Amino acid sequence: AQSVTQLGSHVSVSEGALVLLRCNYSSSVPPYLFWYVQYPNQGLQLLLKYTSAATLVKGINGFEAEFKKSETSFHLTKPSAHMSDAAEYFCAVILNTGFQKLVFGTGTRLLVSP
Amino acid sequence: DARVTQTPRDKVTEMGQEVTMRCQPILGHNTVFWYRQTMMQGLELLAYFRNRAPLDDSGMPKDRFSAEMPDATLATLKIQPSEPRDSAVYFCASASQGITEAFFGQGTRLTVV
């Protein structure tokens, strides 16, 4: 079965510091992977996606993620955190269980302090 | 600006009442997902449709929940009777064939008292 695991329900960084949010996947075939962001009282917005093209994927708001097959990882990074990055971040994978479906990890809340 | 529209945005109801949540997917999208978000369980996939046909509703409590797509522009999620444990934010998302991106609505915040 395919799934994603997000390590750390909360991550705290200072403004200007590196952001690293971890996501590991389990899949027997090359997966489609996604990072979504959710701001308070909002729906989910796509940050970036990996669909088996380039392994380093750049997204919106300065975020990027690297697909590493050897580590089964798809960690999200941003070189310098802004206060406006404070939100919940979800890693997601397409499951191919006869039919495709989109399944999410448990989420990581990013806290940014001045 | 294409977007997924969910109504109502907020719903407070008494236990035992019927609740219907509606979703208008993006025009041309043929895949619709229903998710439930709670603090304890995170984002749970309840059901999803392709070309209006239900593909998987294994995440949905069958005794009280039902999901339908009367036509390509409307998806509904119904709870009858509602219970306090159903209190959550319910999200609808739509995608085109291949699901390279799913677009989410703003959600319906349901409170059952």
Side-chain angles (χ1 to χ4, degrees):
Chain A
Q2 299 158 302
S3 67
V4 287
T5 301
Q6 291 185 244
L7 300 176
S9 58
H10 292 79
V11 169
S12 295
V13 299
S14 299
E15 194 172 20
L18 171 72
V19 175
L20 171 61
L21 304 181
R22 299 177 186 274
C23 174
N24 287 87
Y25 69 91
S26 61
S27 172
S28 57
V29 297
Y32 283 7
L33 292 159
F34 306 82
W35 276 100
Y36 279 82
V37 60
Q38 184 181 30
Y39 299 103
N41 299 315
Q42 299 289 318
L44 278 73
Q45 178 184 4
L46 183 69
L47 271 179
L48 47 82
K49 59 186 177 184
Y50 169 76
T51 55
S52 71
T55 56
L56 182 62
V57 181
K58 295 187 183 299
I60 62 171
N61 301 338
F63 284 93
E64 63 182 37
E66 187 172 7
F67 174 72
K68 291 187 177 180
K69 185 178 178 180
S70 61
E71 299 178 7
T72 62
S73 69
F74 190 58
H75 301 333
L76 182 70
T77 61
K78 182 173 180 177
S80 176
H82 295 159
M83 295 296 291
S84 60
D85 294 327
E88 185 129 23
Y89 293 80
F90 293 90
C91 184
V93 67
I94 296 286
L95 294 189
N96 287 299
T97 54
F99 302 104
Q100 292 182 320
K101 60 182 181 181
L102 183 61
V103 175
F104 287 83
T106 52
T108 298
R109 184 167 298 278
L110 177 65
L111 307 170
V112 183
S113 56
Chain B
D1 183 26
R3 64 181 68 187
V4 176
T5 303
Q6 289 186 248
T7 55
R9 286 295 309 274
D10 286 279
K11 176 72 175 179
V12 180
T13 191
E14 292 185 347
M15 182 173 62
Q17 296 298 305
E18 178 178 299
V19 175
T20 299
M21 291 168 272
R22 294 177 174 79
C23 169
Q24 181 177 353
I26 291 174
L27 190 64
H29 283 185
N30 68 341
T31 303
V32 173
F33 301 90
W34 281 106
Y35 292 90
R36 176 171 63 184
Q37 186 177 34
T38 61
M39 290 292 292
M40 295 300 295
Q41 301 296 326
L43 271 166
E44 302 173 274
L45 178 63
L46 297 176
Y48 74 110
F49 293 76
R50 177 158 297 152
N51 297 323
R52 297 176 54 201
L55 294 189
D56 185 348
D57 60 3
S58 59
M60 201 164 64
K62 299 293 192 303
D63 55 339
R64 299 182 299 108
F65 284 60
S66 62
E68 295 180 341
M69 280 200 75
D71 60 61
T73 65
L74 178 64
T76 63
L77 179 66
K78 187 176 296 185
I79 308 175
Q80 168 62 21
S82 58
E83 297 180 2
R85 59 180 168 153
D86 301 328
S87 297
V89 181
Y90 292 80
F91 286 104
C92 172
S94 74
S96 57
Q97 188 82 20
I99 318 178
T100 55
E101 180 175 353
F103 293 81
F104 279 76
Q106 296 291 293
T108 294
R109 181 177 299 276
L110 175 65
T111 304
V112 183
V113 297

